[in-house]
Amino acid sequence: MKQFIRNFNKQKVVGTLNICSLSLSIMVSIVVGLWAINELTYDNFYPDGDRMYRVVQNFELNGKPIRAATSFKPLGEIAEKELPSIEKMCRIVSRTMGVTFHNMVHFGVPSLVTDHNFFSFLGFPLKEGDIETAFSGTNNAIITESAARKYFPDEDPIGQRIVSHGYDFFISGIMYDIPRNSHIQAEVILPMFGSFKSWEWDSGFYYDTYFILSPSGLELVRDIHFSKTEPGFDNAVKGDKSFLQILVFTALVILIIGCINFTNLFISTAFIRARSIGIKKSQGAGRRTLILEFYKETAVYVFISVVGGLL
């Protein structure tokens, strides 16, 4: 450490540049790396994820080929009835709705209208409430813990009345926040109600339909985040795998450049150490000792740069 302080005082500008450039490249690599991990782990936590599929349809609209992840409500019911390989079925309509909490309407609330088996199908746990019964009634509603803090900061949300589309619901459970790396996101979970419940083949092309079955030609849930479906016919949070690969490659290049710059700057100041090296040699210092001192000094620079990059 004394050697580092002594040499740093002799070359403050170069030493500062060394630390700053390496810190910057480490910072970029960490940020991109964490983002890449988040992207690549999308939807890999569902209990039956290896057998969970989403219906995707291919058709033409105004002469343009469309790959749509949404479908009509009856599709799931008929498929479950007629295909023995389907073990479970669940439909989800993702919407930003106006929801009334405490007689005050909050617009743009991320909401899901879904079947009663939503929680057992996807395996989302409840923080409060019985997972077997909390979502079984026609007027039950589940909110996330962040929504509970947001809309009911000073009271217990369980049993509170909320209103959506003119229908009354009562909060029967609080779920843990949905993981950020899930293509499904919401603050409020509601059962099928009103037009969502009555729509047939003639309207309501809004339903994401999921099956748990043996491997087939549908879309595996773990592939949804990077799937190439039409945005207007897909409610999922999407990612771009090509962009992800480019960004990861760029981060690696930046890190390599940072390391090269660090090495060049370190070598360019070697003449400053020449005198002290000569003195140490005259006093009997061996090659191994001198190399070890260089490693120690470099390690201090790298440690400071890593801490700076993390900060």
Coordinates of all heavy atoms in Angstrom, one line a residue, residues 263-293:
T263 N -3.4 -1.1 -18.9 CA -2.1 -1.6 -19.1 C -1.1 -0.6 -19.7 O 0.1 -0.5 -19.3 CB -2.1 -2.9 -20.0 OG1 -3.1 -3.8 -19.4 CG2 -0.8 -3.6 -20.1
N264 N -1.6 0.0 -20.8 CA -0.7 1.0 -21.5 C -0.3 2.2 -20.6 O 0.9 2.6 -20.6 CB -1.4 1.6 -22.7 CG -1.5 0.5 -23.9 OD1 -0.7 -0.4 -23.9 ND2 -2.4 0.7 -24.8
L265 N -1.3 2.7 -19.8 CA -1.0 3.8 -18.9 C 0.0 3.3 -17.8 O 0.9 4.1 -17.4 CB -2.3 4.3 -18.3 CG -3.1 5.2 -19.2 CD1 -4.5 5.5 -18.6 CD2 -2.5 6.5 -19.6
F266 N -0.2 2.1 -17.4 CA 0.7 1.6 -16.3 C 2.1 1.4 -16.8 O 3.1 1.8 -16.1 CB 0.1 0.3 -15.8 CG 0.5 -0.1 -14.4 CD1 -0.1 0.5 -13.3 CD2 1.6 -1.0 -14.2 CE1 0.3 0.2 -12.0 CE2 2.0 -1.3 -12.9 CZ 1.3 -0.7 -11.8
I267 N 2.2 0.9 -18.0 CA 3.5 0.7 -18.6 C 4.2 2.0 -18.9 O 5.4 2.2 -18.7 CB 3.4 -0.1 -19.9 CG1 3.0 -1.6 -19.5 CG2 4.8 -0.2 -20.6 CD1 2.7 -2.4 -20.8
S268 N 3.4 3.0 -19.4 CA 4.0 4.3 -19.7 C 4.6 5.1 -18.5 O 5.4 6.0 -18.7 CB 2.9 5.2 -20.3 OG 1.9 5.6 -19.3
T269 N 4.3 4.7 -17.3 CA 4.8 5.3 -16.1 C 5.9 4.5 -15.5 O 6.3 4.7 -14.4 CB 3.7 5.6 -15.1 OG1 3.1 4.4 -14.8 CG2 2.7 6.6 -15.7
A270 N 6.4 3.4 -16.2 CA 7.4 2.5 -15.6 C 8.7 3.3 -15.3 O 9.4 2.9 -14.3 CB 7.7 1.4 -16.6
F271 N 9.0 4.3 -16.1 CA 10.3 5.0 -15.8 C 10.3 5.7 -14.4 O 11.4 5.9 -13.8 CB 10.5 6.1 -16.9 CG 9.5 7.3 -16.8 CD1 9.8 8.4 -16.1 CD2 8.3 7.2 -17.5 CE1 8.9 9.5 -16.0 CE2 7.4 8.2 -17.4 CZ 7.7 9.4 -16.6
I272 N 9.1 6.0 -13.9 CA 9.1 6.6 -12.5 C 9.5 5.6 -11.5 O 10.1 6.0 -10.5 CB 7.6 7.0 -12.2 CG1 7.2 8.1 -13.2 CG2 7.5 7.5 -10.8 CD1 5.8 8.6 -13.1
R273 N 9.3 4.3 -11.8 CA 9.7 3.3 -10.8 C 11.2 2.8 -11.0 O 11.7 2.1 -10.2 CB 8.8 2.1 -11.0 CG 7.3 2.4 -10.8 CD 6.5 1.1 -11.1 NE 5.1 1.4 -10.9 CZ 4.3 1.9 -11.9 NH1 4.9 2.3 -13.0 NH2 3.0 2.2 -11.7
A274 N 11.8 3.2 -12.1 CA 13.1 2.7 -12.4 C 14.1 3.0 -11.3 O 14.9 2.2 -10.9 CB 13.6 3.4 -13.7
R275 N 14.1 4.2 -10.7 CA 15.0 4.6 -9.7 C 14.8 3.7 -8.4 O 15.8 3.2 -7.9 CB 14.8 6.1 -9.3 CG 15.9 6.6 -8.3 CD 15.7 8.0 -8.1 NE 16.6 8.5 -7.0 CZ 16.6 9.8 -6.6 NH1 15.7 10.6 -7.0 NH2 17.5 10.1 -5.6
S276 N 13.5 3.6 -8.0 CA 13.3 2.8 -6.8 C 13.6 1.3 -7.0 O 14.1 0.7 -6.1 CB 11.8 2.9 -6.4 OG 11.0 2.4 -7.4
I277 N 13.5 0.8 -8.2 CA 13.8 -0.5 -8.6 C 15.3 -0.7 -8.4 O 15.8 -1.7 -7.9 CB 13.3 -0.9 -10.0 CG1 11.8 -1.0 -10.0 CG2 13.9 -2.3 -10.4 CD1 11.2 -1.2 -11.4
G278 N 16.1 0.3 -9.0 CA 17.5 0.2 -8.9 C 18.0 0.2 -7.5 O 18.9 -0.6 -7.1
I279 N 17.4 1.0 -6.6 CA 17.8 1.1 -5.2 C 17.5 -0.3 -4.5 O 18.3 -0.8 -3.8 CB 17.1 2.2 -4.5 CG1 17.5 3.6 -5.0 CG2 17.3 2.2 -3.0 CD1 16.7 4.8 -4.5
K280 N 16.3 -0.8 -4.8 CA 15.9 -2.1 -4.2 C 16.8 -3.2 -4.6 O 17.2 -4.1 -3.8 CB 14.5 -2.4 -4.5 CG 13.5 -1.5 -3.8 CD 12.1 -1.8 -4.2 CE 11.1 -0.8 -3.5 NZ 9.7 -1.0 -4.0
K281 N 17.2 -3.2 -5.9 CA 18.2 -4.2 -6.4 C 19.5 -4.2 -5.7 O 20.1 -5.2 -5.3 CB 18.3 -4.1 -7.9 CG 17.2 -4.7 -8.7 CD 17.5 -4.7 -10.2 CE 16.5 -5.4 -11.0 NZ 16.8 -5.4 -12.5
S282 N 20.0 -2.9 -5.5 CA 21.3 -2.7 -4.9 C 21.2 -3.2 -3.4 O 22.3 -3.5 -2.8 CB 21.7 -1.3 -4.9 OG 20.8 -0.4 -4.2
Q283 N 20.0 -3.2 -2.8 CA 19.9 -3.6 -1.5 C 19.6 -5.1 -1.4 O 19.3 -5.6 -0.3 CB 18.8 -2.8 -0.8 CG 19.2 -1.4 -0.6 CD 18.1 -0.5 0.1 OE1 16.9 -1.0 0.1 NE2 18.4 0.7 0.6
G284 N 19.6 -5.8 -2.5 CA 19.5 -7.3 -2.5 C 18.1 -7.8 -2.8 O 17.8 -9.0 -2.7
A285 N 17.2 -6.9 -3.2 CA 15.8 -7.4 -3.6 C 15.9 -8.2 -4.8 O 16.5 -7.9 -5.8 CB 14.9 -6.2 -3.8
G286 N 15.2 -9.4 -4.8 CA 15.2 -10.3 -5.9 C 14.1 -10.0 -6.9 O 13.2 -9.2 -6.7
R287 N 14.2 -10.7 -8.0 CA 13.2 -10.6 -9.1 C 11.8 -10.9 -8.6 O 10.8 -10.2 -8.9 CB 13.5 -11.5 -10.3 CG 12.6 -11.5 -11.4 CD 13.0 -12.6 -12.4 NE 12.0 -12.7 -13.5 CZ 12.0 -12.0 -14.6 NH1 13.0 -11.1 -14.8 NH2 11.1 -12.1 -15.5
R288 N 11.7 -11.9 -7.8 CA 10.4 -12.4 -7.3 C 9.7 -11.3 -6.4 O 8.5 -11.0 -6.5 CB 10.5 -13.7 -6.5 CG 9.3 -14.2 -5.9 CD 9.6 -15.4 -5.0 NE 8.4 -16.0 -4.4 CZ 7.7 -17.0 -5.0 NH1 8.0 -17.4 -6.2 NH2 6.6 -17.4 -4.4
T289 N 10.5 -10.7 -5.6 CA 10.1 -9.6 -4.7 C 9.6 -8.4 -5.5 O 8.5 -7.8 -5.2 CB 11.2 -9.1 -3.7 OG1 11.6 -10.3 -3.0 CG2 10.7 -8.1 -2.8
L290 N 10.3 -8.0 -6.5 CA 9.9 -6.9 -7.3 C 8.6 -7.1 -8.1 O 7.8 -6.3 -8.2 CB 11.1 -6.5 -8.3 CG 12.4 -6.0 -7.7 CD1 13.5 -5.9 -8.7 CD2 12.2 -4.7 -7.0
I291 N 8.5 -8.3 -8.6 CA 7.3 -8.7 -9.4 C 6.1 -8.7 -8.4 O 5.0 -8.2 -8.8 CB 7.5 -10.1 -10.1 CG1 8.5 -10.0 -11.2 CG2 6.1 -10.6 -10.6 CD1 8.8 -11.3 -11.8
L292 N 6.3 -9.2 -7.2 CA 5.2 -9.2 -6.3 C 4.7 -7.8 -5.9 O 3.5 -7.6 -5.8 CB 5.7 -10.0 -5.0 CG 4.6 -10.3 -4.0 CD1 3.5 -11.1 -4.5 CD2 5.2 -10.9 -2.7
E293 N 5.7 -6.9 -5.8 CA 5.3 -5.5 -5.5 C 4.5 -4.9 -6.6 O 3.6 -4.1 -6.4 CB 6.6 -4.7 -5.2 CG 7.2 -4.9 -3.9 CD 8.3 -3.9 -3.6 OE1 8.6 -3.1 -4.4 OE2 8.9 -4.1 -2.5

